[in-house]
Amino acid sequence: MKLWSAGFMAAVMMGAVGFGCGGVEPEPTQATAPSVTAKYLEAAEDSEDNDHNQCGVRRCIDLERDKNITHIFLDFGNCPIKDFRVTVRTESRGVEDVTDRLKSMGGPCQELNADYRFELQGPDKMVRVCVQFKDYIGKVRVGAKAANDCSYESRTIDGQACRKCQK
């Protein structure tokens, strides 16, 4: 019993001395975990099969430019799309819902005559733009401004002819 008690006291003393002298390493700081919204959007984006005939399905297009992309433009043509959601994925900021940042008036690249635009917080040369329709579904032209170049992609977020979503 005396050996056990002496060993225990030695261990306590070593711990106290080690702690007092900075012998205990601080726990490593952990990177900030992504928000629940970012995890949900990322999982939904990665698992979708891009069924272009369904409303409520997120449909995406990847854009890449030689210079940093500062603005994204969306054009729905003659389709009266009003209720939709837009998310972007960039390397610098991850997945973001930008629906509340959409603007329909002013801004750069007036020659594109886009229905909506939004700024990217960048700097990014690659971005994935996703649109989820809730009222109508249709084809979407997506454009970008990088440096002084304003242009639409040659491909579109494909949708069938403009049609009202079925509830």
Side-chain angles (χ1 to χ4, degrees), residues 67-125:
K67 305 279 184 182
N68 286 329
I69 300 171
T70 59
H71 293 79
I72 300 291
F73 302 91
L74 303 172
D75 181 45
F76 299 123
N78 292 329
C79 196
I81 297 170
K82 298 289 182 223
D83 191 9
F84 60 96
R85 192 168 145 206
V86 180
T87 57
V88 294
R89 177 189 285 185
T90 62
E91 187 175 322
S92 68
R93 298 180 58 93
V95 177
E96 291 182 277
D97 187 331
V98 296
T99 307
D100 61 338
R101 295 186 351 217
L102 293 174
K103 296 182 174 134
S104 59
M105 304 291 282
C109 306
Q110 292 291 317
E111 67 272 17
L112 294 182
N113 197 26
D115 293 319
Y116 297 95
R117 67 172 172 83
F118 61 92
E119 290 182 47
L120 282 180
Q121 305 300 315
D124 290 291
K125 294 179 181 178

Coordinates of all heavy atoms in Angstrom, one line a residue, residues 67-125:
K67 N -9.6 35.5 -65.7 CA -9.5 36.6 -64.7 C -10.6 36.3 -63.6 O -11.5 35.5 -63.8 CB -9.8 38.0 -65.3 CG -8.9 38.3 -66.5 CD -7.5 38.8 -66.0 CE -6.7 39.2 -67.2 NZ -5.4 39.6 -66.9
N68 N -10.5 37.1 -62.5 CA -11.5 36.9 -61.4 C -12.8 37.3 -61.9 O -13.0 38.3 -62.5 CB -11.1 37.7 -60.2 CG -9.9 37.2 -59.5 OD1 -9.7 35.9 -59.5 ND2 -9.1 38.0 -58.9
I69 N -13.8 36.5 -61.6 CA -15.2 36.7 -61.9 C -15.8 37.6 -60.8 O -15.7 37.3 -59.6 CB -16.0 35.4 -62.0 CG1 -15.4 34.5 -63.1 CG2 -17.5 35.7 -62.3 CD1 -16.0 33.1 -63.1
T70 N -16.3 38.8 -61.2 CA -16.9 39.7 -60.2 C -18.4 39.8 -60.2 O -19.0 40.2 -59.2 CB -16.3 41.1 -60.5 OG1 -16.7 41.5 -61.8 CG2 -14.8 41.2 -60.3
H71 N -19.0 39.4 -61.3 CA -20.5 39.5 -61.4 C -21.0 38.2 -62.2 O -20.4 37.8 -63.1 CB -21.0 40.7 -62.1 CG -20.7 42.0 -61.4 ND1 -19.5 42.6 -61.4 CD2 -21.5 42.8 -60.7 CE1 -19.5 43.7 -60.7 NE2 -20.8 43.8 -60.2
I72 N -22.2 37.8 -61.8 CA -22.9 36.7 -62.5 C -24.2 37.3 -63.0 O -24.9 38.0 -62.3 CB -23.2 35.5 -61.6 CG1 -21.8 34.9 -61.1 CG2 -24.0 34.4 -62.3 CD1 -21.0 34.3 -62.1
F73 N -24.6 36.9 -64.2 CA -25.9 37.4 -64.8 C -26.8 36.2 -65.2 O -26.3 35.2 -65.6 CB -25.6 38.2 -66.1 CG -24.6 39.3 -65.8 CD1 -23.3 39.2 -65.9 CD2 -25.2 40.6 -65.4 CE1 -22.4 40.2 -65.6 CE2 -24.3 41.6 -65.2 CZ -23.0 41.5 -65.3
L74 N -28.1 36.3 -65.0 CA -29.1 35.3 -65.3 C -30.1 35.9 -66.2 O -30.7 37.0 -65.9 CB -29.7 34.8 -64.0 CG -28.8 34.3 -62.9 CD1 -29.6 34.0 -61.6 CD2 -28.1 33.0 -63.4
D75 N -30.4 35.2 -67.3 CA -31.4 35.6 -68.2 C -32.4 34.5 -68.5 O -32.0 33.4 -68.9 CB -30.8 36.1 -69.6 CG -31.8 36.5 -70.6 OD1 -32.7 37.3 -70.2 OD2 -31.7 36.1 -71.7
F76 N -33.7 34.7 -68.2 CA -34.7 33.7 -68.4 C -35.4 33.8 -69.7 O -36.4 33.1 -69.9 CB -35.7 33.7 -67.2 CG -35.0 33.5 -65.9 CD1 -35.1 34.4 -64.9 CD2 -34.3 32.3 -65.6 CE1 -34.6 34.2 -63.6 CE2 -33.7 32.1 -64.4 CZ -33.8 33.1 -63.4
G77 N -35.0 34.6 -70.6 CA -35.7 34.8 -71.8 C -37.1 35.4 -71.6 O -37.3 36.3 -70.8
N78 N -38.1 34.8 -72.3 CA -39.5 35.3 -72.1 C -40.3 34.5 -71.1 O -41.5 34.7 -70.9 CB -40.2 35.2 -73.5 CG -39.6 36.2 -74.5 OD1 -39.2 37.3 -74.1 ND2 -39.6 35.8 -75.8
C79 N -39.6 33.6 -70.4 CA -40.3 32.8 -69.3 C -40.5 33.7 -68.1 O -39.6 34.3 -67.6 CB -39.5 31.6 -69.0 SG -40.4 30.3 -68.1
P80 N -41.7 33.8 -67.6 CA -42.0 34.6 -66.4 C -41.6 34.1 -65.1 O -42.4 34.0 -64.1 CB -43.6 34.8 -66.5 CG -44.0 33.5 -67.0 CD -42.9 33.1 -68.0
I81 N -40.4 33.6 -65.0 CA -39.8 33.0 -63.8 C -39.7 34.1 -62.7 O -39.0 35.1 -62.9 CB -38.5 32.3 -64.0 CG1 -38.7 31.2 -65.0 CG2 -37.9 31.8 -62.8 CD1 -37.5 30.5 -65.6
K82 N -40.3 33.9 -61.6 CA -40.2 34.9 -60.5 C -39.8 34.3 -59.2 O -39.2 34.9 -58.3 CB -41.5 35.7 -60.3 CG -42.0 36.5 -61.5 CD -41.1 37.7 -61.7 CE -41.6 38.5 -62.8 NZ -40.5 39.0 -63.7
D83 N -40.2 33.0 -58.9 CA -40.0 32.4 -57.7 C -38.9 31.3 -57.9 O -39.2 30.2 -58.4 CB -41.2 31.7 -57.1 CG -41.1 31.2 -55.7 OD1 -40.1 31.5 -55.0 OD2 -42.0 30.6 -55.2
F84 N -37.7 31.6 -57.5 CA -36.5 30.7 -57.7 C -35.5 31.0 -56.6 O -35.6 32.0 -55.9 CB -36.0 30.9 -59.1 CG -35.5 32.2 -59.4 CD1 -34.1 32.6 -59.2 CD2 -36.3 33.2 -59.8 CE1 -33.7 33.8 -59.5 CE2 -35.9 34.5 -60.1 CZ -34.5 34.8 -59.9
R85 N -34.5 30.1 -56.5 CA -33.4 30.3 -55.6 C -32.1 30.1 -56.3 O -32.0 29.2 -57.2 CB -33.6 29.2 -54.5 CG -32.8 29.4 -53.3 CD -33.2 28.5 -52.2 NE -32.1 28.0 -51.5 CZ -31.9 26.9 -50.8 NH1 -32.9 26.1 -50.8 NH2 -30.9 26.7 -50.2
V86 N -31.1 30.9 -56.0 CA -29.8 30.8 -56.6 C -28.7 30.6 -55.6 O -28.7 31.3 -54.5 CB -29.5 32.1 -57.4 CG1 -28.1 32.0 -58.1 CG2 -30.6 32.4 -58.4
T87 N -27.9 29.5 -55.8 CA -26.7 29.3 -54.9 C -25.5 29.3 -55.8 O -25.6 29.0 -57.0 CB -26.9 28.0 -54.2 OG1 -27.0 26.9 -55.1 CG2 -28.0 27.9 -53.2
V88 N -24.4 29.6 -55.2 CA -23.1 29.5 -55.9 C -22.1 28.8 -55.0 O -22.2 28.8 -53.8 CB -22.5 30.9 -56.2 CG1 -23.4 31.6 -57.2 CG2 -22.3 31.8 -55.0
R89 N -21.2 28.1 -55.7 CA -20.1 27.5 -55.0 C -18.8 28.0 -55.5 O -18.6 28.0 -56.8 CB -20.1 26.0 -55.1 CG -18.9 25.3 -54.5 CD -18.7 23.9 -54.8 NE -19.7 23.2 -54.0 CZ -19.8 21.8 -54.0 NH1 -19.0 21.1 -54.8 NH2 -20.7 21.2 -53.3
T90 N -18.0 28.6 -54.7 CA -16.7 29.1 -55.1 C -15.6 28.6 -54.2 O -15.9 28.1 -53.0 CB -16.6 30.7 -55.0 OG1 -16.8 31.1 -53.6 CG2 -17.6 31.3 -55.9
E91 N -14.4 28.6 -54.6 CA -13.3 28.1 -53.8 C -13.0 29.0 -52.6 O -12.8 28.5 -51.5 CB -12.0 27.9 -54.6 CG -10.9 27.3 -53.9 CD -9.7 27.0 -54.8 OE1 -9.9 26.7 -56.0 OE2 -8.6 27.2 -54.3
S92 N -13.2 30.3 -52.8 CA -12.8 31.2 -51.7 C -13.9 31.2 -50.6 O -13.6 31.5 -49.5 CB -12.6 32.6 -52.2 OG -13.8 33.1 -52.8
R93 N -15.2 31.0 -51.0 CA -16.3 31.2 -50.0 C -17.1 30.0 -49.8 O -18.0 30.0 -49.0 CB -17.1 32.4 -50.4 CG -16.3 33.7 -50.3 CD -17.1 34.9 -50.7 NE -18.2 35.1 -49.9 CZ -18.2 35.9 -48.8 NH1 -17.2 36.5 -48.4 NH2 -19.3 36.1 -48.1
G94 N -16.9 28.9 -50.5 CA -17.7 27.7 -50.4 C -19.1 27.9 -51.0 O -19.3 28.6 -52.0
V95 N -20.1 27.3 -50.4 CA -21.5 27.3 -51.0 C -22.2 28.5 -50.3 O -22.2 28.6 -49.0 CB -22.2 26.0 -50.7 CG1 -23.7 26.1 -51.2 CG2 -21.5 24.9 -51.4
E96 N -22.9 29.3 -51.1 CA -23.7 30.4 -50.6 C -25.0 30.5 -51.3 O -25.1 30.4 -52.5 CB -23.0 31.8 -50.8 CG -21.7 32.0 -50.1 CD -21.2 33.4 -50.4 OE1 -20.5 33.5 -51.5 OE2 -21.4 34.3 -49.7
D97 N -26.0 30.9 -50.5 CA -27.3 31.2 -51.1 C -27.3 32.7 -51.4 O -27.1 33.5 -50.5 CB -28.5 30.9 -50.2 CG -29.8 31.0 -50.8 OD1 -30.0 31.9 -51.7 OD2 -30.7 30.3 -50.4
V98 N -27.4 33.1 -52.7 CA -27.3 34.5 -53.1 C -28.6 35.1 -53.5 O -28.6 36.2 -54.1 CB -26.2 34.7 -54.2 CG1 -24.8 34.3 -53.7 CG2 -26.6 33.9 -55.4
T99 N -29.7 34.4 -53.3 CA -31.0 34.8 -53.8 C -31.3 36.2 -53.3 O -31.8 37.0 -54.0 CB -32.1 33.8 -53.3 OG1 -31.7 32.5 -53.7 CG2 -33.4 34.2 -53.9
D100 N -31.0 36.5 -52.0 CA -31.3 37.8 -51.5 C -30.4 38.9 -52.0 O -30.6 40.1 -51.7 CB -31.3 37.8 -49.9 CG -29.9 37.4 -49.4 OD1 -29.1 36.8 -50.1 OD2 -29.7 37.7 -48.2
R101 N -29.4 38.6 -52.7 CA -28.4 39.6 -53.3 C -28.7 39.9 -54.8 O -28.0 40.6 -55.4 CB -27.0 39.1 -53.1 CG -26.6 39.0 -51.7 CD -25.1 38.7 -51.4 NE -24.3 38.3 -52.5 CZ -23.3 37.4 -52.4 NH1 -23.1 36.7 -51.3 NH2 -22.5 37.1 -53.4
L102 N -29.8 39.2 -55.3 CA -30.1 39.5 -56.8 C -30.6 40.9 -57.0 O -31.4 41.4 -56.2 CB -31.1 38.5 -57.2 CG -30.7 37.0 -57.2 CD1 -31.9 36.1 -57.6 CD2 -29.6 36.8 -58.2
K103 N -30.1 41.5 -58.1 CA -30.6 42.8 -58.5 C -31.1 42.7 -59.9 O -30.5 42.0 -60.8 CB -29.4 43.8 -58.4 CG -29.0 43.9 -57.0 CD -27.9 44.9 -56.8 CE -27.6 45.1 -55.4 NZ -26.3 45.1 -55.0
S104 N -32.1 43.5 -60.2 CA -32.6 43.5 -61.6 C -32.4 44.8 -62.3 O -32.7 44.9 -63.5 CB -34.1 43.1 -61.5 OG -34.8 44.1 -60.8
M105 N -31.9 45.8 -61.7 CA -31.7 47.1 -62.3 C -30.2 47.5 -62.2 O -29.6 47.2 -61.2 CB -32.5 48.1 -61.7 CG -34.0 47.8 -61.7 SD -34.8 47.9 -63.3 CE -34.9 49.6 -63.5
G106 N -29.7 48.3 -63.1 CA -28.4 48.9 -63.1 C -27.3 47.8 -63.2 O -27.4 46.7 -63.6
G107 N -26.1 48.3 -62.7 CA -24.9 47.4 -62.7 C -24.1 47.4 -64.0 O -24.5 48.1 -65.0
P108 N -23.1 46.7 -64.0 CA -22.2 46.6 -65.2 C -22.8 45.7 -66.3 O -23.8 45.0 -66.0 CB -20.9 46.0 -64.7 CG -21.4 45.1 -63.6 CD -22.5 45.8 -62.9
C109 N -22.3 45.7 -67.4 CA -22.6 44.8 -68.5 C -24.1 44.9 -69.0 O -24.8 44.0 -69.2 CB -22.3 43.3 -68.2 SG -20.7 43.0 -67.7
Q110 N -24.5 46.2 -69.1 CA -25.9 46.4 -69.6 C -26.2 45.8 -70.9 O -27.3 45.5 -71.2 CB -26.2 48.0 -69.6 CG -26.2 48.6 -68.2 CD -27.4 48.2 -67.4 OE1 -28.5 48.1 -67.9 NE2 -27.1 47.9 -66.2
E111 N -25.1 45.6 -71.7 CA -25.3 45.1 -73.1 C -25.8 43.6 -73.0 O -26.4 43.1 -74.0 CB -24.0 45.1 -73.9 CG -22.9 44.3 -73.3 CD -22.0 44.9 -72.3 OE1 -22.4 46.0 -71.7 OE2 -20.9 44.4 -72.0
L112 N -25.7 42.9 -71.9 CA -26.2 41.5 -71.8 C -27.7 41.5 -71.6 O -28.3 40.5 -71.8 CB -25.5 40.8 -70.6 CG -24.0 40.6 -70.7 CD1 -23.4 39.8 -69.5 CD2 -23.6 39.9 -72.0
N113 N -28.3 42.6 -71.1 CA -29.7 42.7 -71.0 C -30.3 41.5 -70.1 O -31.2 40.8 -70.5 CB -30.4 42.7 -72.4 CG -31.9 43.2 -72.2 OD1 -32.2 43.9 -71.3 ND2 -32.7 42.7 -73.2
A114 N -29.6 41.3 -69.0 CA -29.9 40.1 -68.1 C -31.1 40.5 -67.2 O -31.4 41.6 -66.9 CB -28.7 39.8 -67.2
D115 N -31.9 39.5 -66.8 CA -33.0 39.6 -65.9 C -32.5 39.9 -64.5 O -33.1 40.8 -63.8 CB -33.9 38.4 -65.9 CG -34.6 38.2 -67.2 OD1 -35.1 39.2 -67.8 OD2 -34.7 37.0 -67.6
Y116 N -31.4 39.2 -64.1 CA -30.9 39.4 -62.7 C -29.4 39.4 -62.8 O -28.8 38.8 -63.7 CB -31.4 38.3 -61.8 CG -32.9 38.3 -61.6 CD1 -33.7 37.5 -62.4 CD2 -33.5 39.1 -60.7 CE1 -35.1 37.5 -62.2 CE2 -34.8 39.2 -60.5 CZ -35.6 38.4 -61.3 OH -37.0 38.4 -61.1
R117 N -28.8 40.0 -61.8 CA -27.3 39.9 -61.6 C -27.0 39.9 -60.1 O -27.8 40.3 -59.3 CB -26.7 41.1 -62.3 CG -27.0 42.4 -61.6 CD -26.2 43.6 -62.1 NE -26.6 44.8 -61.6 CZ -26.3 45.3 -60.4 NH1 -25.4 44.6 -59.7 NH2 -26.8 46.4 -59.9
F118 N -25.8 39.5 -59.8 CA -25.3 39.6 -58.4 C -23.8 39.6 -58.5 O -23.2 39.2 -59.4 CB -25.8 38.4 -57.5 CG -25.4 37.1 -57.9 CD1 -24.2 36.5 -57.4 CD2 -26.2 36.3 -58.8 CE1 -23.8 35.2 -57.8 CE2 -25.8 35.1 -59.2 CZ -24.6 34.5 -58.7
E119 N -23.2 40.2 -57.4 CA -21.8 40.3 -57.3 C -21.2 39.1 -56.6 O -21.8 38.6 -55.7 CB -21.4 41.6 -56.5 CG -21.6 42.8 -57.3 CD -21.2 44.1 -56.5 OE1 -20.1 44.1 -56.0 OE2 -22.0 45.0 -56.4
L120 N -20.0 38.7 -57.0 CA -19.3 37.7 -56.3 C -18.3 38.3 -55.3 O -17.7 39.3 -55.7 CB -18.5 36.7 -57.2 CG -19.3 35.7 -58.0 CD1 -18.4 34.9 -58.9 CD2 -20.0 34.8 -57.0
Q121 N -18.2 37.8 -54.2 CA -17.3 38.4 -53.2 C -15.8 38.0 -53.4 O -15.0 38.5 -52.8 CB -17.7 38.0 -51.8 CG -19.2 38.3 -51.5 CD -19.5 39.8 -51.6 OE1 -18.7 40.6 -51.1 NE2 -20.6 40.1 -52.2
G122 N -15.6 37.1 -54.3 CA -14.3 36.6 -54.9 C -13.1 36.7 -53.9 O -13.3 36.8 -52.8
P123 N -11.9 36.5 -54.4 CA -11.5 36.4 -55.8 C -11.7 34.9 -56.3 O -11.2 34.0 -55.7 CB -10.1 36.8 -55.8 CG -9.6 36.4 -54.5 CD -10.7 36.5 -53.5
D124 N -12.3 34.7 -57.4 CA -12.5 33.4 -58.0 C -12.5 33.4 -59.5 O -13.1 34.3 -60.1 CB -13.9 32.8 -57.5 CG -13.8 32.5 -56.0 OD1 -13.1 31.5 -55.6 OD2 -14.5 33.2 -55.2
K125 N -11.9 32.5 -60.1 CA -11.9 32.3 -61.5 C -12.8 31.2 -61.9 O -13.1 31.0 -63.1 CB -10.4 32.0 -62.0 CG -9.5 33.2 -61.8 CD -8.1 32.9 -62.3 CE -7.2 34.1 -62.0 NZ -5.9 33.8 -62.4

